Amino acid sequence: MSDNTVVWQVLWFALFLSSVHGQVSYSIPEEMSKGSVVGNIAQDLGLDLKRLKSGKARIYTEDSTQYIELNKDRGLLLIRERIDREALCGQRTPCALHFQIILESPMELYSINVEITDINDNPPHFEKNEMKFKISESAVTGAKFVLERANDADVGVNGLQSYTLNTNENFVLKIKNHPDGQKIVEMVLQKPLDREKEETLSLILTAVDGGDPQLSSTAQIFITVLDANDNAPAFTQPMYRASVTENVPKGTVLTSVSASDADTGSNGEITYSITNIMDETRDMFEIDEKSGVLQLKGAVDFEKVRHYQIHVQASDEGGLTDSCKVQIDVLDTNDNAPTINIISMSNVIAEDSKPGVVVGMFKVQDPDSGDDGRVECLTKDSLPFTLKTTTNGFYSLVTDDELDRERNAVYNITVTCNDAGIPSLSGRISLSLQVSDVNDNAPKFEKSAYVASIVENNTPGISVFRLLAKDADWNQNARVSYMLEDSTVNGVSISSYVSVNAESGVINAVRSFDYEQIKSFQFRVKAQDGGSPPLSSNVSVVISIQDQNDNSPQVLYPVQTSGSIVAEMVPRSADIGYLVTKVVAVDVDSGQNAWLSYKLQKGSDRALFEVGAQNGEIRTIRQVTDKDAVKQKLTVIVEDNGQPSRSATVNVNVALADSFPEVLSEFSDFTHDKEYNDNLTFFLVLALAVVSFLFIVSIIAILSVKCYRWRRERMFYKSNGNLPVIPYYPPLYADVGGTGTLQHVYNYEHYRTTDSRKSDMKYVRPCNQSIISLDNTDVQTLPHANNEKLIEDTDDQQKPPNPDWRFNQNQRPGPSGYTTSRSSNLRWTPPRNMRAAATPDMAVGTGPWPQPPTEAEQLQALMAAANEKREGNHMQIFLGKVSEATNTLTPGTMGLSTRYSPQFTLQHVPDYRQNVYIPGSTATLTSNPQQQQQQQQMQQQMQMGPQQMGPQQALPPPQAAAAGPGAGPGADPGAMGQPEAPKAAQTPASKKKSTKKEKK
């Protein structure tokens, strides 16, 4: 918005009333685009943007159309709808928009005036584009002809300014300015017409406004020249006045105009017409063409238009005219009741609001004038509210007294506004105002003090009674919570005695009370509401303990002792009523529960003694005779008066004797069974404890043994060959001839790696240790250089085997069948040190391995082990794990797990060229030609090896000292020192095997 098109002014008015704080005026041109800035209202009013948001600033207008909007984020007034000044105000000046800005919390009102300035957006306009006149040729010079005026909706300099007539020699224009600013356009004859020269004339009338740029419009004037008409019509007066009351019916005669014409005939006949070009005037009034009577055509409203100006023209048949003006004044009547428009209204008000707080704001309007428009508003006097007004018709509803929600939570306020017209009209609105609660009331107990009682020996947690406090406030402020105030009773906190439910106020007993210890106690309970800050009050509570018959009478005399006997001596000469003794008893209860009565329950001679029911005195009721026994035993029962009653008994020994020695002789035979009974009970309890202890120990021992055995069985079952196992060797078993048979003291484990010659040997302790030990810490790794030394040191010297020791066909090594090898080192040991044997239900020669190992394969495995030993490898050969077929082996049989090892092939078997004795075999094997050829190739490789690695001993030297007598003819010279194993006796089965091998 440029500076030359927008001019705004800010005017401040300091008003003394609290409701209206100021007034701001702006000036803007019409036809501004939407969103254009009218002004910075926050800056002009001195308000913060936060105040606009917190106060919920809004615009209030009296009409429904809102052209201006408020941007609270920026504090600006913006154009909301396009403003057309002509549609908004018409010809009225100045044209302005009046509205108010309302703020809440606290409530404030600011009046805003926005003046709409005119721009030249409307050209002059003729209602008729053609005007026709009939003028006599005899018309004298100076004759006037009134032309139709143009209308321009703009005002000021942008309105209609002048008229022009095209150049001609007969007519000129004459403009008359009226006091109301209107212009009368007349066409004046300056040269007589000549019908013979021109019968018709055509002129152009141009209307021009004063805007920049100028706008104009034209109208065509057609003149017909007639024959002579010497006199023009003339009105009796130039201006007529009339008045009309608003709301009069249509057709009401307002006034009449009159004009005269000196001509006769048709030239003297006058016709009246209204020349106003304004539509509302033509729609409101009409005139009789012949009589000139002016009548009401529409409904006039003083509140809309108060004055009308009507232009009337009189014309004769000769075309001569005259004009006059009729002014109609509209008179006001009291036809409008006051209207009340609520600007802002609070629905809730706090009850602690001070007098003078603005509750609502509204504006009262009465469009009537004078007394009819003077309004007075009022409310009921009984309400704590009053009305304050300003000169602009704004009213504020404010408090004039303190509010109390507890007395009146809702106020229904009726505001009545009456005007001063006759009859008076009124308007009213009803407002509902709710008073919000403030925590201004503390809880109040129903009683100033509470007294309650509870019977002793009560159950802990039992309810004693209920407190009740009420709060006159509402909602959270009326929510009452109960709590105990800190105090002590006999040095103990009150919370150890009672508790109070915070919600219900029920007092509960925390402990069981004893009347004999405490008779009553006092404490205070506080009731506190949920307000902020909370309010509270307290009350005193006294709880009395009611006695209960919970104590039996206690006998004070005679004293009952277990170690001695007390007897009362009564001389035989005692008279009737002789006081023997008095039973004295007390009851710690109170009231009737402590009233004691005495009576004789049993006695040696009930006819001799009686007991006083109230005092407990034992007296004689007859004379003592010689027949009465010296030793008398009385049982007296003492009973209280409670419900139910409790009692106690006492034994009274009475000696009827005159001297003390006589008494001793009679009472010496009293037994002391009590001590015996006590000792017997002690020994019985002790014996029971000992028996129970022995029983528990036995159960624990049995469970421990069971668990140990079960765990050991599970250990063997789950070991899967991972336990270190030492094979069992039969007695007198020895490595004969140093053929490389494994020593029975040590196990050798072979690690199948790519470089097996660098493996170390794991040393396991001798087999004299437990073979089921799982301690892996006993395994030691020895370096390569100490292998032979270790073997020599640990080699046990055994006797040669018994020649009669043989293996039967079912006990030969090498199971057949399929088994799954879980690791490269497989071990097997019969569980529980049992020797393996063929079971009756197992077929001989069938096992988990696919094929039974041949004796040649067994020989190859043994030779491979000896060769690896000679080359310096560290290996350990563990007993192979076998499955079902391992039952065919005896405990001394060695499993050949290395048979399936990829390192033990025929290429690694040297040719010893001698008979080798294999334990468990029935034949002596010799090498075949193919094996000899392969062994010779291996010998060549082995001879090259010692030259590089140094000489090594292939077999243990102690057994290799002497050569066996059964060496084969193709034996290697380097192996001639090997002794031959003892040959086994030939059996039919072994002969058949030898025949089969020769065929192979």
Side-chain angles (χ1 to χ4, degrees), residues 215-252:
L215 302 177
S216 63
S217 63
T218 60
Q220 195 78 23
I221 301 174
F222 296 98
I223 300 174
T224 302
V225 181
L226 301 176
D227 198 10
N229 183 16
D230 299 337
N231 298 291
F235 282 99
T236 58
Q237 57 189 35
M239 185 174 182
Y240 294 85
R241 291 182 177 272
S243 61
V244 61
T245 303
E246 62 175 339
N247 299 326
V248 296
K250 297 179 181 180
T252 301

Side-chain angles (χ1 to χ4, degrees), residues 350 375 675 707:
V375 180
E675 183 178 357
C707 291

Side-chain angles (χ1 to χ4, degrees), residues 647-799:
S647 61
T649 59
V650 60
N651 294 323
V652 180
N653 297 311
V654 178
L656 301 179
D658 293 329
S659 63
F660 186 72
E662 185 180 359
V663 174
L664 291 178
S665 62
E666 292 294 336
F667 283 90
S668 60
D669 58 347
F670 274 69
T671 61
H672 302 281
D673 296 337
K674 179 175 178 57
E675 183 178 357
Y676 171 76
N677 293 334
D678 292 342
N679 293 334
L680 180 61
T681 302
F682 171 78
F683 286 114
L684 287 176
V685 172
L686 182 60
L688 180 61
V690 172
V691 171
S692 300
F693 175 75
L694 294 177
F695 175 74
I696 294 174
V697 170
S698 301
I699 294 298
I700 294 175
I702 293 173
L703 293 178
S704 300
V705 172
K706 291 290 185 180
C707 291
Y708 173 76
R709 291 180 178 177
W710 175 83
R711 185 177 179 186
R712 188 176 61 178
E713 292 177 0
R714 295 290 296 176
M715 178 178 15
F716 283 114
Y717 178 74
K718 293 185 176 181
S719 62
N720 294 328
N722 294 326
L723 292 177
V725 178
I726 304 302
Y728 173 81
Y729 290 91
L732 304 178
Y733 177 80
D735 188 6
V736 180
T739 58
T741 304
L742 296 178
Q743 302 295 324
H744 70 279
V745 181
Y746 297 95
N747 289 338
Y748 298 87
E749 180 180 4
H750 180 264
Y751 288 83
R752 297 186 297 179
T753 60
T754 56
D755 192 4
S756 62
R757 289 182 173 86
K758 296 182 180 180
S759 300
D760 292 334
M761 180 182 69
K762 290 189 177 179
Y763 165 68
V764 186
R765 289 184 179 179
C767 60
N768 55 1
Q769 296 183 3
S770 176
I771 63 172
I772 64 170
S773 174
L774 296 178
D775 189 4
N776 294 329
T777 59
D778 292 338
V779 178
Q780 301 178 4
T781 301
L782 300 181
H784 176 73
N786 296 331
N787 288 347
E788 297 181 359
K789 182 179 179 181
L790 177 62
I791 296 174
E792 293 176 358
D793 295 339
T794 59
D795 189 12
D796 293 340
Q797 298 295 332
Q798 295 184 0
K799 296 180 180 180

Side-chain angles (χ1 to χ4, degrees), residues 452-456 458 462-464 509 513 543-547:
S453 61
I454 183 174
V455 179
E456 67 170 336
N458 58 285
I462 191 174
S463 299
V464 182
F513 296 105
I543 294 181
S544 301
I545 311 301
Q546 294 181 355
D547 184 38

Side-chain angles (χ1 to χ4, degrees), residues 441-455:
N441 293 280
K444 292 183 179 179
F445 287 95
E446 293 179 337
K447 300 178 180 179
S448 59
Y450 289 87
V451 178
S453 61
I454 183 174
V455 179

Side-chain angles (χ1 to χ4, degrees), residues 170-182:
N170 297 103
F171 295 95
V172 295
L173 283 179
K174 183 178 181 181
I175 299 175
K176 293 182 179 180
N177 295 321
H178 280 248
D180 58 358
Q182 296 184 357

